């Protein structure tokens, strides 16, 4: 994954689930059994502004957060597998 940033990015984190994410139809309904989120630190390549993302074999969905030196965080879209 490549990124652009005028401020140095210091940290990249993968967040993923091993079960499919489920959605409810009504706002008042809560997810009956939310699955835990797992996280994994990723290595940044400062030279070409990229992050190599390898998701675990049993991953069903994930997103990546990038954090810059100010503490600002930006996330990718959630990707379902």
């Amino acid at each position: 994954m490549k990124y652009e940033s005028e401020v140095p990015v210091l940290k990249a984190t993968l967040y993923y689930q091993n079960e499919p994410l489920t959605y409810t139809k009504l706002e008042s309904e809560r997810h009956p059994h939310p699955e835990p989120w797992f996280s994994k630190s990723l290595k940044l390549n400062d030279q070409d502004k990229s992050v190599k993302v390898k998701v675990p074999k049993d991953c069903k969905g994930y997103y990546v957060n990038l954090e810059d030196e100010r503490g600002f965080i930006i996330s990718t879209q959630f990707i379902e597998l």
Side-chain angles (χ1 to χ4, degrees), residues 1 11-12 30 38 40 47 52 63 69-70 77:
M1 163 181 122
K11 185 177 172 184
R30 296 183 68 190
F38 301 98
K40 179 180 173 183
Q47 290 180 334
K52 193 171 200 177
Y63 67 94
E69 68 180 6
R70 302 169 295 184
Q77 292 181 339

Side-chain angles (χ1 to χ4, degrees), residues 3-59:
Y3 62 89
E4 292 182 26
S5 179
E6 294 177 6
V7 178
V9 174
L10 303 180
K11 185 177 172 184
T13 307
L14 168 70
Y15 291 94
Y16 65 97
Q17 287 192 320
N18 293 334
E19 297 291 328
L21 188 63
T22 58
Y23 302 91
T24 59
K25 293 183 180 181
L26 302 174
E27 274 188 44
S28 61
E29 293 179 345
R30 296 183 68 190
H31 190 291
H33 303 287
E35 296 299 326
W37 284 92
F38 301 98
S39 64
K40 179 180 173 183
S41 293
L42 301 172
K43 186 175 180 180
L44 293 163
N45 183 331
D46 295 329
Q47 290 180 334
D48 69 355
K49 292 190 176 185
S50 68
V51 177
K52 193 171 200 177
V53 179
K54 185 174 182 179
V55 297
K57 185 177 180 180
D58 55 352
C59 175

